[in-house]
Amino acid sequence: MKKLLGLVAILAFSVASYAQKGPKIEFKAKDNTIDYGTVSKDSDNGMRTFEFTNTGDAPLIITNVQSTCGCTVPSKPTEPIMPGKTGKIDVKYNMNPGRISKTITVESNAVNYEGGKVALRIKGEVIVKEEKNVLEKQKVGPQS
């Protein structure tokens, strides 16, 4: 029994020592998604921020951030993010009326995502507020 416990302890230590070392990126947004909700083109500039932390043990370098279309413009950190520090990726959507469903791909040296690539998503809906024409006659109920 002692031999079995000793073997299990050695195996557990061996597995722990082979854990991935290097930079790791963890985003604050649930499911790496920001939901704009229903927003008005006139009252929202379309800017959102994905915050992340380097939970690894080496500097995190964001090498590229790109969107699936030209209507979404992302920006990336220019300096490495040190272990334990946070960074941000700003995303500006052009606020065209309609449904929002876009993907932003982040490329980095993070070891906790295959190839260091992470997909971020934005979703929601942009509406145009109806403007009231002050010159238009008000509808009034039947008059006696």
Side-chain angles (χ1 to χ4, degrees):
M1 185 67 158
K2 286 183 182 181
K3 287 182 181 180
L4 181 61
L5 287 176
L7 183 62
V8 169
I10 290 171
L11 184 61
F13 180 73
S14 297
V15 169
S17 66
Y18 284 113
Q20 288 182 323
K21 294 193 179 265
K24 296 179 182 175
I25 191 168
E26 297 291 336
F27 284 90
K28 211 175 182 182
K30 183 181 178 189
D31 299 325
N32 297 345
T33 301
I34 289 181
D35 188 349
Y36 280 62
T38 301
V39 293
S40 168
K41 180 177 182 164
D42 300 326
S43 63
D44 193 314
N45 68 1
M47 184 67 77
R48 298 295 186 274
T49 300
F50 285 92
E51 293 183 19
F52 62 88
T53 302
N54 178 358
T55 59
D57 59 5
L60 174 68
I61 300 169
I62 307 293
T63 55
N64 193 24
V65 179
Q66 60 188 23
S67 173
T68 53
C69 74
C71 61
T72 308
V73 180
S75 66
K76 70 179 186 71
T78 56
E79 299 294 321
I81 308 301
M82 302 312 283
K85 299 295 181 185
T86 60
K88 66 181 185 168
I89 293 172
D90 291 323
V91 176
K92 176 146 178 62
Y93 181 68
N94 70 2
M95 302 303 281
N96 281 337
R99 195 170 143 253
I100 304 169
S101 181
K102 304 296 174 192
T103 301
I104 297 96
T105 303
V106 177
E107 297 175 15
S108 71
N109 63 338
V111 297
N112 58 327
Y113 285 92
E114 187 175 334
K117 291 185 179 183
V118 184
L120 306 178
R121 291 175 187 80
I122 58 172
K123 65 181 185 175
E125 184 174 6
V126 178
I127 59 171
V128 178
K129 283 187 178 177
E130 283 188 36
E131 292 184 26
K132 263 191 171 177
N133 186 344
V134 292
L135 299 176
E136 191 176 296
K137 290 184 179 180
Q138 297 262 344
K139 290 185 180 177
V140 182
Q143 295 194 12
S144 0

